[in-house]
C-alpha cells in the first residue's frame, strides 16, 4: 500500500490526520535534522498500521515535507 504523507515537523504534539482524499498529515515533535523526523514518522506509521518499522519505507521525498510512503502490510 502506498500513502501520500505531508509532514509537519516541530509540532507541539504527535498526531496523524487522515485527509478526505486518503492522504495523511503527520505532525511530528522532531525537527528535520539528521533524519530524526523521518525516524519518528516511520515509528508513528508503524504503530498506526500495526506493522514492524522495517515494513515502512519512504519511497519519495526523503528530505521533503511531501513524501510517498510504501507500507508492506503482508506479514
Amino acid at each position: 500500500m502506498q500513502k501520500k504523507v505531508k509532514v509537519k515537523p516541530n509540532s507541539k504534539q504527535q498526531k496523524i490526520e487522515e485527509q478526505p482524499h486518503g492522504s495523511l498529515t503527520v505532525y511530528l515533535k522532531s525537527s528535520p535534522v539528521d533524519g530524526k523526523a523521518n525516524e519518528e514518522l516511520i515509528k508513528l506509521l508503524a504503530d498506526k498500521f500495526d506493522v514492524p518499522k522495517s515494513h515502512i519505507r519512504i519511497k519519495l521525498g526523503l528530505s521533503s515535507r511531501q513524501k510517498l510512503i510504501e507500507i508492506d502490510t503482508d506479514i
Side-chain angles (χ1 to χ4, degrees), residues 30-68:
S30 302
S31 61
V33 178
D34 298 330
K36 289 181 180 157
N38 286 337
E39 288 175 27
E40 184 181 354
L41 172 66
I42 288 171
K43 184 182 181 313
L44 275 175
L45 292 175
D47 291 344
K48 176 176 175 49
F49 292 102
D50 198 29
V51 296
K53 289 190 288 185
S54 60
H55 286 234
I56 295 180
R57 192 167 65 96
I58 300 173
K59 251 185 121 165
L60 293 172
L62 200 59
S63 60
S64 169
R65 289 177 190 240
Q66 301 284 343
K67 301 183 185 297
L68 182 63

Side-chain angles (χ1 to χ4, degrees), residues 2-42:
Q2 292 187 346
K3 285 275 188 192
K4 286 186 179 178
V5 175
K6 183 174 184 179
V7 176
K8 300 209 174 191
N10 296 320
S11 298
K12 291 189 179 180
Q13 63 183 18
Q14 287 180 330
K15 68 178 177 176
I16 298 175
E17 291 179 351
E18 200 146 348
Q19 302 303 318
H21 54 276
S23 70
L24 301 173
T25 301
V26 181
Y27 296 84
L28 303 171
K29 288 184 176 181
S30 302
S31 61
V33 178
D34 298 330
K36 289 181 180 157
N38 286 337
E39 288 175 27
E40 184 181 354
L41 172 66
I42 288 171

